[in-house]
Amino acid sequence: MSDLGRRAEELDAADPLAAYRDAFVTTPGVVAYLDGNSLGRPLRATGERLARFVAEDWGDRLIRHWDEGWMDAPTELGDLLARTTLGAAPGQTVVADSTTVLLYKLVRAAVDARPGRGEIVVDTGNFPTDRFVAEGVAAERGLTLRWIDPDPLAGVTVDDVRAVVGPGTALVLLSHVAYRSGAIADLRAITDVVHEAGALVLWDLCHSVGALELGLDDDGVDLAVGCTYKYLNGGPGAPAFAYVAEALQPSLHQPIQGWMGAADPFAMGPRYEPAKGIRQLVSGTPPIVGMLPVRDMLALIGEAGMPALRRKSEALTAYAVEVADELLLPLGARLASPREPAARGSHITLDHADFQRATAELWRRGVIPDFRPPDGLRIGLSPLSTGFAEVLAGLTAVREVLEGGSRGD
Amino acid sequence: MSDLGRRAEELDAADPLAAYRDAFVTTPGVVAYLDGNSLGRPLRATGERLARFVAEDWGDRLIRHWDEGWMDAPTELGDLLARTTLGAAPGQTVVADSTTVLLYKLVRAAVDARPGRGEIVVDTGNFPTDRFVAEGVAAERGLTLRWIDPDPLAGVTVDDVRAVVGPGTALVLLSHVAYRSGAIADLRAITDVVHEAGALVLWDLCHSVGALELGLDDDGVDLAVGCTYKYLNGGPGAPAFAYVAEALQPSLHQPIQGWMGAADPFAMGPRYEPAKGIRQLVSGTPPIVGMLPVRDMLALIGEAGMPALRRKSEALTAYAVEVADELLLPLGARLASPREPAARGSHITLDHADFQRATAELWRRGVIPDFRPPDGLRIGLSPLSTGFAEVLAGLTAVREVLEGGSRGD
């Protein structure tokens, strides 16, 4: 056995979270699932939960269940998510819509809450949907986008933000963990700098939630959104969440006025009167079925605790870098993520001109990373469902494919 | 046996769709489910479909399934829904978001497509979310709402519309079937009148789809939305659908610019370039899990055919009126729906000052209509899952509760 193999064995043996891997559905033929940062594996409990929901909650209670839990699901699940993963007190988080739609609501609400300020700060490294939403809102509200062009490895820094914010800034929209490099932005320090300029900050937590310890209340965050299908294993297209700090709620007005965000949905009165508090962010009928799978994962996270998940996450990416250094960098791959574990989220990206071709071949071999243009192989390592030997098996296959070997050679 | 009981027995025996009732989950203790127009019953197949999805599509294919079907799900399911229920050719329907969010996108897109026209026509009888969305868009775009105040029994008529549209009208937003009275608006004639004025029409089909035969293409409809959790049995908060006539698609631009509505979602380029065609209506990641249950119902509807469903729907509401005439009108209830079966959708509403109290008692007895303020008892009769004897049992219980009797008396 190679030194790397022995290391993997030792790390798996010493992993206090190793037993959690049995909670997830295994996939015959998949040697290494390295894409839990894009779509988390389902939990074994989830299929049964969905079937039971159909028979019992929906089938047995029918419409009566709206009064027995569904009406409150957006805020009740939001509070659970906030307590388990966001470091946020109740009453500030809602589960609804998609990340894109919630971004739209919050960007609109934020710029309207800072009248007379004409700029939204965004960065070129942010995920497309964040940039597209900002571009659309800027166009419709006659605002200007002020671009940060960060060093991809460092991500957006405090200095980057300080250099662009000012009395004209309405909103700063950033991702906490960069979707490509995994670089972590300094959430607390940047939030402070934005506040000093009198602007609001909106953090996209898609690649943070369930992988990093968060403390939104302590850090003074204004607004945040995120998805539940990555490290929260909520299933493809599961609803998103939004956080609005309590102090800010009375001054925000989101634009998509729907009956489920009204003060009394069943009054059905002549004019829209928004609900008080975080519920005002809801528009249409809550997506109850889509909200179900994430509950199983939140229960596991609550049991294991985010500090333990974060330690495992750092250990996994550290080991992946160790393996990449030995197996892949000699073949011309470059690490496109920070070298310091504490400076990155739960994925690393490697660049190589041959990775687009390689990804197709890896998928055929049951090794599943994802490809991000122009030449990035993204290795996502979901703390509860990924093992160290799996990382080694996956990156060993990457080496074989780069060397041009195929399974039968 | 009473005459009404004999009639129910005859109608059930002669019902060509009677066998379909076995396809739905039955609910112990529920004597009559009269709320399929609010939340359709689950199909027996649905729990198994969801569990199989978790094990196979999600668990087995993992991220790979995005390339193997999920990416196309919004338009593929949209086309299936269009063919089965809307009378619409492919490429014009998408499944996404909630009805409210899709209404917002289409109202925004429509008024922007008619620059220089300052009015949105709405009616006081429309469902709250429709009115709230129109109110919000009017406020943010500096437009005026022009109100129709229809006769509740007749619903919005062609003359009502003709009286208010003109060169200042950008959009007319109406429900095809009124959520309270069930009155059907003359979709084709109203669409023509709106077009003569140079405006666009947006039809809310929430209470039509799966209950009425629709021919959106033939009727020249511009825009439509609807939900999938009523007569399409998609489950609580299932995603909604939107229809945009092909000819109109190039001139519309919806405001919530997300990566999944971009021409090439994985190009992740610097600027938003909308997809061509109906896909431009998509914003965030499609809600795949929430889209699953509706497929079982669309398969049944495809098999039975909308003409047969509509015949059964008319027969059910006609029988409900017959029973109400004999059992409930003598106790002071009033029919708040059209008397002519062809003039109403698949529900009727009865008004009585005592119905709010009665609804709670009916629910306890396993008879489940819903209550709509100020004093409406809404009786929804989903064609494939409701039987005539069930209607009689339900309305008999309504009589008992109005008379002040309780089960043990």
Side-chain angles (χ1 to χ4, degrees), chain B residues 197-280:
Chain B
L200 295 170
V201 67
L202 166 49
W203 287 101
D204 181 333
L205 304 176
C206 283
H207 285 274
S208 314
V209 64
L212 268 72
E213 290 181 80
L214 295 165
L216 301 189
D217 287 352
D218 282 352
D219 287 344
V221 167
D222 300 310
L223 307 164
V225 298
C227 79
T228 65
Y229 50 75
K230 296 177 184 292
Y231 299 113
L232 297 186
N233 302 65
F241 67 88
Y243 164 95
V244 179
E246 191 168 18
L248 206 58
Q249 291 171 12
S251 61
L252 288 192
H253 173 71
Q254 66 93 356
I256 308 180
Q257 303 183 162
W259 73 309
M260 284 288 178
D264 178 358
F266 291 96
M268 302 192 163
R271 290 191 58 103
Y272 178 72
E273 177 69 41
K276 292 209 190 315
I278 191 69
R279 195 178 175 91
Q280 69 185 283

Side-chain angles (χ1 to χ4, degrees), chain B residues 109-196:
Chain B
V111 299
D112 287 355
R114 287 292 181 276
R117 289 169 169 252
E119 290 180 4
I120 302 174
V121 171
V122 280
D123 76 283
T124 55
N126 206 343
F127 189 71
T129 233
D130 301 69
R131 294 184 276 109
F132 296 164
V133 166
E135 180 188 340
V137 173
E140 67 172 281
R141 307 305 272 183
L143 304 171
T144 304
L145 293 185
R146 187 78 185 265
W147 290 95
I148 293 171
D149 193 17
D151 175 319
L153 276 191
V156 176
T157 66
V158 180
D159 289 340
D160 288 338
V161 176
R162 191 177 284 119
V164 296
V165 294
T169 312
L171 174 70
V172 177
L173 166 60
L174 298 171
S175 281
H176 180 215
V177 172
Y179 82 99
R180 199 175 190 290
S181 72
I184 299 175
D186 188 337
L187 185 144
R188 182 195 286 251
I190 291 174
T191 296
D192 287 346
V193 166
V194 173
H195 287 169
E196 283 159 24

Side-chain angles (χ1 to χ4, degrees), chain B residues 49 97 133 155 165 212 226 244 296 308 317 320 325 333 345 348 366 373 394 398:
Chain B
R49 173 189 286 275
D97 301 318
V133 166
V165 294
L212 268 72
V244 179
D296 294 313
T317 59
D325 279 343
I348 63 165
V398 175

